Amino acid sequence: MSAVDRQLEELHETITEAVPADISVTEVKYEGPELVVYTRDPKRFARNGDLIRDLASQLRKRITVRPDPAVLSRPDKAREAVMRVIPDEAGVTDLDFHEDTGEVVIEAEKPGLVIGRHGSTLREIAQEAGWTPEVVRTPPIESSTVSNVRNFLKQQREERRDILERVGRQIHREKMSDEEWVRITTLGCSREVGRAAFILSTPETRILVDAGDKPGSDDVPYLQVPEALGAGATNIDAVVLTHAHLDHSALVPLLFKYGYDGPIYTTEPTRDLMGLLTLDYLDVAAKEGRTPPYDSEMVREAINHTIPLEYGDVTDIAPDIKLTLHNAGHILGSSISHFHIGDGLYNVAFSGDIHYEDTRLFNGAVNDFPRVETLVLESTYGGRNDYQTDQADAEAHLKEVINETVEQDGKVLIPAFAVGRSQEIMLVLEEAMRKGEIPEMPIHLDGMIWEATAIHTTYPEYLRDDLRDRIFHDDKNPFLAEQFNQVDGGEDERQDIADGDPAIILSTSGMVTGGPIMSWLEHLGPDPKSTMVFVGYQAQGTLGRRIQSGWDEIPISSGGGRSERLSLEVDVETVDGFSGHADRQGLEDFVKTMNPRPEKILCVHGDERSTQELSSALYHKYDIRTFAPKNLETFRFV
Amino acid sequence: MSAVDRQLEELHETITEAVPADISVTEVKYEGPELVVYTRDPKRFARNGDLIRDLASQLRKRITVRPDPAVLSRPDKAREAVMRVIPDEAGVTDLDFHEDTGEVVIEAEKPGLVIGRHGSTLREIAQEAGWTPEVVRTPPIESSTVSNVRNFLKQQREERRDILERVGRQIHREKMSDEEWVRITTLGCSREVGRAAFILSTPETRILVDAGDKPGSDDVPYLQVPEALGAGATNIDAVVLTHAHLDHSALVPLLFKYGYDGPIYTTEPTRDLMGLLTLDYLDVAAKEGRTPPYDSEMVREAINHTIPLEYGDVTDIAPDIKLTLHNAGHILGSSISHFHIGDGLYNVAFSGDIHYEDTRLFNGAVNDFPRVETLVLESTYGGRNDYQTDQADAEAHLKEVINETVEQDGKVLIPAFAVGRSQEIMLVLEEAMRKGEIPEMPIHLDGMIWEATAIHTTYPEYLRDDLRDRIFHDDKNPFLAEQFNQVDGGEDERQDIADGDPAIILSTSGMVTGGPIMSWLEHLGPDPKSTMVFVGYQAQGTLGRRIQSGWDEIPISSGGGRSERLSLEVDVETVDGFSGHADRQGLEDFVKTMNPRPEKILCVHGDERSTQELSSALYHKYDIRTFAPKNLETFRFV
């Protein structure tokens, strides 16, 4: 009998003793980080209000109770019971019964009403129906990504349970080593922006944090060195994804091509956005005639292996590591990943990308932790002079540019990341039109912006408090404003828009490295009345950076492999202050007010100058040991 | 056709064009770093004096010419020809003809006379006999190690040729990566003494430098992390061994148990000493009831995979790395390993263990290199106050202690490493007796000291110039002095010696961690008239260190698994200044006079205080970037 089986047998006995005598416990097993308890008496279990909570705190594990398949009521009868309990206003749009696990997935427009105060309605459902309820939100704006992911996971339910059980047994395996050390290896994004990837390793466990690509470059993280996958993909115990931007996520599906078969921990919106962005990444590669590094099947593998975590959940992900994700304020679902290693041995936080101040979309990044000895901190705007304009000034500047452009009968072209900056700008424009600060006109959203927006509205819990509340009411949901038009008519529609009246166009990609923005450049690039407005960071080597710094002739592909040069007559403006990244001040403030203050900081995710200047400043101001690592270095802590 | 085969084909053509038309070249192949050229006209080849040298410099390769087996003269005829050419005074003791390669190995008491001025006699042998001569020295003192190694290699000749051919093709493979980086990973001996092991890695190549154990501890280097063997033993391209002491060599044979099948580069004496010391290491483990980590078969594998290099040979060991070994002055065959990486990209030197000043045995360490950007420097005596007594004062002190002990009718017990310190002390004692500074008395050598001494006399080229010259003449060879007695009669002989007249006993192990010194402790430990003299470094955690620092009761095993306590009445003295390690002054001088001065120094192979104090001092004195790494860190250069 393996150590894990012995452990489960003991848990089975302990739980049997802890629950009232009239509740039978038929099986106890791990599914990912959760302990699943099967019972023949699900209704009685649900009736004993605090039983699950008490068990969880006694065993220090996350616990799910499920009915033993033998005692399940028939789905049609259960459906009646479920619908009887849920109030009509909840707007249930789908019920999905899984007889193998006794779970019923309830999709509703107002999940809060299905959950009830402190979960009271959920408990009532379990009590009345004898099935274990699970709630998801009906997207207020239809999202093909969300529905694809949900349908896919529905089909994969059985395989996924096998994955989760395997992962669960891995997490709860016995420790194998008496040694204690903690190391971080930089596989990318050190003294550069892009290809984020780190290995966090202990004698017991190896975690890959992010696996991104580098915009405007063929550079990929050093996944093939022995420290990473060079020792075999099974050498990695878990992947943690801080957020969905491709410079952090693009190569996550590739891991499965290399044979990785373990979990990905991230937030639910990050999972969906990763699906959206990586599929588009493959699409763009194919359109540009490059061989994509993996195919869409690998994206599905990644989704199937994702174990979603909510902000603040403390989760065992290895025998010696607990992971907690915290809001990073950067994009939807973005997180700071906090690792507690050993029993109080050491704590490391990876900032991912952060925004310290609140934005229209998000609350500012969390910087309050139980303990952190080492912080791995992004440094995109870490340079000595990388102070950004205030958001209010930035918005005023943008409105001014728009008004000027409209006055001369031009159009405003804004290259933007589909995820994050686009929605921020949409909120600014919607308000400005509502308040009459800029003229009402169509706002065309090209590329995946509309789809990304739909995903935002599916997860309002991840948005800033007041925005969340507005989304809960259709008539106040700013993303439903009528100015917004999704460009779905291809080149014809673009031509019509370009030939038409003043308008604003938001289009991907955000750094002008591909996607529909290339087409917009052809339509509006030669137009001296129009304005191209950069609102986000343009990395070294991207076409966006080149246009921003004054190139007025750019190469474009004219099909058939030929390439021509396009003269830019369009006015080029940069509006600072909309970045999803903390600026130098924000980074300093993040560290200054961080609780507790870390002992060491690794400044990464910034060019050589930014990381070194930030490293030096943080050392001198706060007397913290700071480093500006190179790629492929390994730091040992403890 | 593989790239290497294409390369060899081109070399074949080039060589055919370069040699006179009457010399046929039948085959060209790699054996390790050498290019072997087979010819049907070996005599003509030999007659064209500078032909080989010219080819070598044209092709920038080390070249060996061998007769095509088809044209070989019969060994009995060849024997006559060979003996005709070699002068009688050379003292040939063995001729060994290898028909498969056309080589004749000549063992002679005076190899210099077989080689002749600038190799003229060798060329004459090739010319007359048509066989390719190879010369080795007949050990002036019989050495079972040397004869075992030579016999073993004789038997393995065919398998070894296969190994060399495979290694040769590996070395000359095409480069696979366009990237450029150089990294060093510390697998041991950082902030500690013992378990030396480093990985030097480039995108192309991974070299393991040393693989030792840690005296007085069970700690072994971190060979199982993915950076080392965790990614598979075949992930290592080459092993370089700086010297034979077990804290650098003990686990080299273990690599073959793990499936390593590549070359070990080291000096010839280090190969033999490694064989001696690792076999003894297995023996000691077995005697102490521990399971040896590998068996003697693995030691033979290690010897079979060793490619011996001479000091100063610049050798291709990978497509992007050239290795040169330089005298380190520490023990017989000890070397500083200098790596030239890429085409002028970067240079790293690993000091191994060094002695900067000349000693009686060795010339001081070389610190003159074409280029060195990073030096990995030992720090055994790197502490602020780690200044050692001068050798002359140390010798006077030792003689004083001996005279005092003899006056009170006691015996002098000196624990010493078999290799290095023992021979140094032997030279001191021999001279002191010859000059009448101490009374003539027997000097008993216990453990492997005599055998190690025999190996020293086999390789006089590796000894200090004047000592080498003395060994060339039997009547002046100090190691042949009649006072020396090898203890080979076991416990009876030890008892007799202990009961007898004043005498000096040198016995292993040097840090009192096992071996016959344990028996001598029982014999002489309770004797207040005798003196125990420490002449070498005693590592933390060793019994030697404890006795040195005042323990007067020690645990001894009394057989049958019981253990008793032994009261020490023996006088304990420490005579500084005989260390094989540079002291703090020596380390500073090594760096100060080093040419060129390195940009970075990693201070390793010293306890935490020593490495940090040396690191700090070198930084402040010479404005060099210095580090005191921890184990398991990775530094990136370039």
Side-chain angles (χ1 to χ4, degrees):
Chain A
M1 185 185 274
S2 76
V4 176
D5 286 323
R6 264 200 311 280
Q7 204 184 105
L8 285 169
E9 205 163 79
E10 282 165 28
L11 283 167
H12 195 156
E13 281 172 33
T14 310
I15 293 170
T16 303
E17 277 168 36
V19 301
D22 62 349
I23 297 181
S24 74
V25 173
T26 51
E27 197 182 357
V28 168
K29 59 203 275 189
Y30 287 119
E31 282 190 13
E34 302 210 337
L35 185 69
V36 181
V37 177
Y38 284 93
T39 175
R40 283 179 190 277
D41 310 286
K43 296 183 182 181
R44 274 186 220 132
F45 223 120
R47 220 166 282 144
N48 279 269
D50 293 333
L51 196 50
I52 297 179
R53 202 185 317 161
D54 291 349
L55 273 178
S57 99
Q58 183 191 337
L59 302 175
R60 303 185 64 188
K61 299 208 180 296
R62 229 182 300 159
I63 290 183
T64 302
V65 173
R66 298 211 193 115
D68 188 305
V71 302
L72 274 183
S73 57
R74 283 187 3 234
D76 54 346
K77 291 199 67 178
R79 175 182 301 271
E80 278 171 35
V82 171
M83 293 308 288
R84 225 173 18 242
V85 176
I86 302 176
D88 285 351
E89 312 88 81
V92 171
T93 50
D94 191 28
L95 282 187
D96 192 31
F97 290 87
H98 298 280
E99 303 197 40
D100 46 353
T101 61
E103 289 172 298
V104 49
V105 180
I106 304 164
E107 192 182 67
E109 285 163 2
K110 298 197 189 312
L113 296 180
V114 183
I115 294 166
R117 197 172 162 75
H118 296 310
S120 58
T121 311
L122 278 188
R123 272 198 300 278
E124 209 182 326
I125 295 170
Q127 209 171 304
E128 295 299 317
W131 286 66
T132 302
E134 192 184 312
V135 196
V136 296
R137 178 183 308 277
T138 315
I141 299 175
E142 205 182 298
S143 159
S144 57
T145 303
V146 172
S147 81
N148 286 343
V149 169
R150 287 181 185 172
N151 285 332
F152 171 69
L153 290 177
K154 203 183 279 187
Q155 293 158 23
Q156 294 292 314
R157 216 156 164 105
E158 205 155 329
E159 194 192 327
R160 188 167 154 76
R161 223 174 50 245
D162 291 345
I163 295 171
L164 288 177
E165 186 170 349
R166 184 163 44 72
V167 170
R169 295 173 67 90
Q170 268 297 101
I171 294 172
H172 297 94
R173 72 185 185 271
E174 301 248 295
K175 280 198 200 177
M176 290 177 292
S177 171
D178 299 329
E179 294 211 49
E180 290 187 333
W181 44 258
V182 175
R183 302 193 298 163
I184 291 175
T185 302
T186 53
L187 302 180
C189 113
S190 296
R191 304 201 181 182
E192 65 180 349
V193 172
R195 56 169 165 174
F198 301 91
I199 297 280
L200 173 68
S201 58
T202 70
E204 203 67 45
T205 306
R206 306 174 63 75
I207 314 262
L208 176 64
V209 180
D210 291 347
D213 76 340
K214 187 169 173 180
S217 145
D218 290 335
D219 291 349
V220 292
Y222 292 94
L223 293 176
Q224 292 307 333
V225 293
E227 294 92 318
L229 304 178
T234 51
N235 160 60
I236 302 286
D237 296 279
V239 174
V240 173
L241 178 58
T242 60
H243 66 283
H245 276 157
L246 288 170
D247 58 332
H248 294 254
S249 74
L251 301 190
V252 168
L254 182 65
L255 304 173
F256 294 89
K257 184 170 159 187
Y258 289 154
Y260 178 67
D261 199 22
I264 300 168
Y265 296 98
T266 193
T267 62
E268 209 162 8
T270 302
R271 177 196 62 196
D272 295 359
L273 291 172
M274 171 188 73
L276 174 69
L277 295 177
T278 53
L279 287 175
D280 182 64
Y281 171 79
L282 299 180
D283 206 37
V284 169
K287 276 184 186 149
E288 291 177 355
R290 289 179 285 121
T291 310
Y294 49 86
D295 61 31
S296 56
E297 178 57 28
M298 296 299 124
V299 177
R300 283 189 288 276
E301 283 287 350
I303 289 169
N304 210 13
H305 284 76
T306 298
I307 297 181
L309 303 183
E310 291 179 15
Y311 292 149
D313 282 353
V314 179
T315 305
D316 288 306
I317 64 167
D320 60 341
I321 299 188
K322 289 182 200 301
L323 166 67
T324 313
L325 303 182
H326 298 276
N327 172 39
H330 172 65
I331 63 163
L332 185 72
S334 68
S335 61
I336 297 172
S337 307
H338 177 280
F339 296 89
H340 174 78
I341 296 151
D343 214 0
L345 178 67
Y346 206 76
N347 297 268
V348 176
F350 289 82
S351 77
D353 292 356
I354 53 170
H355 197 283
Y356 179 65
E357 304 281 345
D358 289 353
T359 58
R360 283 178 177 265
L361 271 174
F362 305 113
N363 297 321
V366 166
N367 66 350
D368 202 13
F369 306 94
R371 271 177 56 189
V372 178
E373 283 83 17
T374 285
L375 170 68
V376 181
L377 178 65
E378 72 125 314
S379 315
T380 318
Y381 292 110
R384 191 177 294 131
N385 302 311
D386 290 348
Y387 294 94
Q388 294 264 312
T389 316
D390 277 353
Q391 171 116 12
D393 293 346
E395 293 184 4
H397 185 191
L398 177 62
K399 288 181 266 194
E400 191 186 313
V401 170
I402 291 170
N403 282 325
E404 284 171 10
T405 306
V406 171
E407 264 167 44
Q408 62 189 25
D409 206 29
K411 290 164 199 80
V412 178
L413 176 60
I414 306 177
F417 279 126
V419 174
R421 274 342 75 200
S422 290
Q423 289 73 36
E424 186 83 16
I425 300 292
M426 286 166 74
L427 293 176
V428 173
L429 299 177
E430 186 271 338
E431 186 190 90
M433 290 188 189
R434 186 155 37 83
K435 292 191 174 170
E437 296 166 348
I438 59 173
E440 295 238 348
M441 64 188 127
I443 303 166
H444 302 286
L445 308 171
D446 205 352
M448 302 165 308
I449 296 173
W450 186 247
E451 177 55 30
T453 305
I455 298 175
H456 279 70
T457 61
T458 310
Y459 299 102
E461 303 82 355
Y462 286 84
L463 300 176
R464 181 169 154 167
D465 308 339
D466 55 338
L467 178 59
R468 182 186 60 207
D469 295 343
R470 288 170 66 198
I471 288 179
F472 285 160
H473 303 277
D474 276 2
D475 54 336
K476 294 189 184 159
N477 184 338
F479 295 117
L480 295 177
E482 59 181 6
Q483 293 87 346
F484 294 119
N485 166 54
Q486 183 186 6
V487 177
D488 49 14
E491 272 312 295
D492 289 347
E493 185 177 1
R494 289 192 192 101
Q495 188 65 57
D496 287 349
I497 294 170
D499 293 343
D501 291 329
I504 299 169
I505 299 117
L506 267 73
S507 175
T508 58
S509 73
M511 296 190 193
V512 201
T513 51
I517 189 73
M518 307 312 289
S519 167
W520 286 108
L521 265 182
E522 293 186 46
H523 287 297
L524 299 178
D527 176 13
K529 292 182 295 175
S530 290
T531 310
M532 183 168 185
V533 188
F534 288 100
V535 295
Y537 181 80
Q538 305 297 307
Q540 287 283 7
T542 60
L543 183 54
R545 175 72 155 254
R546 287 175 183 149
I547 295 173
Q548 193 181 30
S549 58
W551 280 33
D552 57 3
E553 213 186 50
I554 55 168
I556 52 162
S557 135
S558 60
R562 287 171 304 123
S563 98
E564 292 177 6
R565 304 198 67 80
L566 177 76
S567 282
L568 292 186
E569 302 285 333
V570 70
D571 192 22
V572 174
E573 295 276 347
T574 294
V575 176
D576 272 350
F578 285 116
S579 171
H581 293 274
D583 70 350
R584 169 64 177 264
Q585 190 62 53
L587 292 169
E588 282 190 21
D589 290 346
F590 181 88
V591 171
K592 183 179 170 185
T593 64
M594 184 167 166
N595 179 30
R597 190 164 289 179
E599 295 166 5
K600 292 181 185 169
I601 297 182
L602 271 53
C603 297
V604 302
H605 199 288
D607 59 28
E608 188 153 346
R609 190 186 50 79
S610 304
T611 49
Q612 288 182 332
E613 289 180 6
L614 183 63
S615 168
S616 163
L618 296 177
Y619 167 67
H620 285 106
K621 289 201 178 178
Y622 308 121
D623 193 25
I624 295 171
R625 288 204 65 185
T626 60
F627 304 86
K630 301 193 192 86
N631 287 327
L632 288 177
E633 293 199 294
T634 299
F635 291 76
R636 176 169 170 182
F637 312 97
V638 182
Chain B
M1 186 186 275
S2 78
V4 176
D5 286 325
R6 265 200 310 280
Q7 205 185 102
L8 284 169
E9 206 163 77
E10 281 166 29
L11 282 168
H12 194 153
E13 282 172 31
T14 311
I15 293 170
T16 304
E17 277 169 36
V19 301
D22 62 349
I23 295 182
S24 76
V25 172
T26 52
E27 198 182 357
V28 167
K29 59 205 275 188
Y30 287 120
E31 282 190 14
E34 302 210 337
L35 185 70
V36 181
V37 177
Y38 285 92
T39 175
R40 283 181 189 275
D41 311 285
K43 297 183 182 182
R44 272 185 221 132
F45 224 119
R47 219 165 284 145
N48 279 268
D50 292 332
L51 196 49
I52 297 180
R53 201 184 319 162
D54 292 348
L55 273 177
S57 100
Q58 183 190 340
L59 304 172
R60 300 184 65 189
K61 298 208 183 294
R62 229 181 302 158
I63 290 182
T64 303
V65 173
R66 298 214 193 114
D68 189 304
V71 302
L72 274 183
S73 57
R74 286 197 349 244
D76 54 346
K77 289 199 68 177
R79 175 182 300 270
E80 277 171 35
V82 170
M83 294 306 290
R84 224 174 17 242
V85 175
I86 302 176
D88 286 350
E89 313 85 82
V92 171
T93 50
D94 190 30
L95 282 188
D96 191 33
F97 290 87
H98 298 279
E99 301 196 41
D100 46 354
T101 61
E103 287 170 299
V104 50
V105 180
I106 304 163
E107 192 183 67
E109 286 163 3
K110 299 197 188 315
L113 295 179
V114 183
I115 296 165
R117 196 172 164 76
H118 298 309
S120 57
T121 311
L122 279 188
R123 273 198 300 279
E124 208 183 326
I125 295 170
Q127 210 171 304
E128 296 298 317
W131 288 65
T132 304
E134 194 185 312
V135 195
V136 295
R137 178 183 306 278
T138 314
I141 300 176
E142 203 182 300
S143 159
S144 56
T145 303
V146 172
S147 80
N148 285 344
V149 168
R150 287 182 184 171
N151 285 331
F152 170 69
L153 289 177
K154 203 183 278 186
Q155 292 159 23
Q156 294 292 315
R157 217 155 164 105
E158 205 154 329
E159 196 193 326
R160 189 166 153 79
R161 219 171 56 242
D162 291 345
I163 295 171
L164 288 176
E165 186 168 352
R166 182 164 43 71
V167 170
R169 295 173 67 92
Q170 268 298 101
I171 294 172
H172 299 93
R173 71 187 184 270
E174 300 248 295
K175 279 198 202 179
M176 291 177 293
S177 171
D178 297 331
E179 294 212 48
E180 289 188 334
W181 46 257
V182 176
R183 302 194 299 162
I184 291 175
T185 302
T186 52
L187 301 180
C189 112
S190 296
R191 302 202 182 181
E192 65 181 349
V193 172
R195 55 170 167 174
F198 302 90
I199 297 280
L200 173 69
S201 58
T202 71
E204 203 67 46
T205 307
R206 307 174 62 75
I207 313 261
L208 175 63
V209 180
D210 290 346
D213 77 342
K214 187 170 170 180
S217 145
D218 289 337
D219 292 350
V220 292
Y222 291 94
L223 293 176
Q224 291 308 333
V225 295
E227 294 92 318
L229 303 179
T234 50
N235 160 60
I236 302 287
D237 296 278
V239 174
V240 174
L241 178 58
T242 60
H243 66 285
H245 275 158
L246 289 170
D247 58 330
H248 294 253
S249 73
L251 302 190
V252 167
L254 181 66
L255 303 172
F256 293 89
K257 184 170 158 185
Y258 289 154
Y260 179 67
D261 200 20
I264 300 167
Y265 295 98
T266 194
T267 61
E268 207 161 11
T270 301
R271 178 195 64 196
D272 294 359
L273 290 172
M274 171 187 72
L276 174 68
L277 294 178
T278 53
L279 287 175
D280 182 63
Y281 171 77
L282 300 179
D283 205 37
V284 169
K287 277 184 186 149
E288 291 176 355
R290 291 180 285 119
T291 311
Y294 51 85
D295 60 31
S296 56
E297 179 56 27
M298 296 300 126
V299 176
R300 283 189 286 275
E301 283 288 350
I303 289 170
N304 211 12
H305 284 76
T306 297
I307 297 181
L309 302 182
E310 291 177 18
Y311 292 149
D313 282 353
V314 179
T315 306
D316 287 308
I317 63 167
D320 62 340
I321 300 188
K322 289 183 201 296
L323 167 68
T324 314
L325 303 182
H326 297 277
N327 172 40
H330 172 63
I331 63 165
L332 185 73
S334 68
S335 60
I336 297 172
S337 307
H338 178 279
F339 296 90
H340 174 79
I341 297 152
D343 214 359
L345 179 64
Y346 206 76
N347 297 269
V348 176
F350 289 80
S351 76
D353 293 356
I354 52 169
H355 196 282
Y356 178 63
E357 304 281 344
D358 291 353
T359 58
R360 281 178 178 267
L361 272 173
F362 305 112
N363 297 322
V366 166
N367 66 348
D368 201 14
F369 306 95
R371 269 178 59 190
V372 178
E373 284 82 16
T374 285
L375 169 68
V376 180
L377 179 63
E378 71 125 315
S379 315
T380 319
Y381 290 109
R384 192 177 295 132
N385 302 311
D386 290 348
Y387 293 95
Q388 295 263 313
T389 315
D390 277 354
Q391 172 117 11
D393 292 345
E395 294 184 4
H397 184 189
L398 176 63
K399 287 180 266 192
E400 191 187 312
V401 169
I402 291 169
N403 281 326
E404 283 169 11
T405 306
V406 171
E407 263 166 46
Q408 63 190 24
D409 205 29
K411 288 163 201 80
V412 177
L413 176 61
I414 306 177
F417 280 125
V419 175
R421 272 342 76 200
S422 291
Q423 289 73 36
E424 186 81 18
I425 300 291
M426 285 167 73
L427 292 177
V428 173
L429 297 178
E430 186 271 339
E431 185 190 91
M433 290 187 191
R434 189 158 33 84
K435 292 190 174 172
E437 295 166 349
I438 58 173
E440 295 240 347
M441 64 188 130
I443 303 167
H444 301 288
L445 309 171
D446 205 353
M448 302 166 308
I449 296 173
W450 185 246
E451 177 56 29
T453 304
I455 298 175
H456 279 71
T457 60
T458 309
Y459 298 103
E461 303 82 355
Y462 286 83
L463 300 176
R464 183 169 152 168
D465 307 338
D466 54 338
L467 177 59
R468 182 188 59 208
D469 295 342
R470 287 170 65 199
I471 288 178
F472 284 160
H473 302 278
D474 276 2
D475 53 337
K476 292 190 186 159
N477 185 337
F479 296 116
L480 294 177
E482 60 182 6
Q483 292 87 348
F484 295 120
N485 167 53
Q486 183 185 9
V487 177
D488 49 13
E491 272 312 297
D492 289 347
E493 184 176 0
R494 288 191 194 102
Q495 189 65 55
D496 287 348
I497 294 169
D499 293 343
D501 292 327
I504 299 170
I505 298 118
L506 267 75
S507 176
T508 57
S509 75
M511 296 190 193
V512 200
T513 52
I517 188 73
M518 307 313 288
S519 167
W520 286 107
L521 265 183
E522 292 186 46
H523 287 297
L524 298 178
D527 175 14
K529 291 181 295 177
S530 289
T531 310
M532 184 167 182
V533 187
F534 289 100
V535 295
Y537 181 77
Q538 304 296 309
Q540 287 284 4
T542 58
L543 183 55
R545 177 69 156 253
R546 288 175 182 148
I547 294 173
Q548 194 181 29
S549 59
W551 280 32
D552 56 4
E553 212 186 50
I554 55 167
I556 51 162
S557 131
S558 59
R562 287 171 302 125
S563 100
E564 291 174 9
R565 303 197 69 77
L566 176 77
S567 280
L568 293 186
E569 302 285 333
V570 71
D571 192 24
V572 174
E573 296 276 346
T574 294
V575 175
D576 273 348
F578 284 117
S579 171
H581 294 273
D583 69 350
R584 168 64 176 266
Q585 190 61 52
L587 292 168
E588 283 189 21
D589 290 346
F590 181 88
V591 172
K592 184 178 169 185
T593 63
M594 185 167 164
N595 179 31
R597 191 166 288 182
E599 295 166 6
K600 292 181 185 167
I601 298 181
L602 272 53
C603 297
V604 302
H605 198 290
D607 59 28
E608 189 152 346
R609 189 186 52 78
S610 305
T611 49
Q612 288 182 333
E613 288 179 6
L614 183 63
S615 168
S616 164
L618 295 177
Y619 168 66
H620 286 107
K621 290 201 177 176
Y622 309 121
D623 194 25
I624 296 171
R625 287 204 65 187
T626 60
F627 304 85
K630 301 193 193 84
N631 288 328
L632 288 176
E633 294 199 294
T634 300
F635 292 76
R636 177 171 167 180
F637 313 97
V638 181

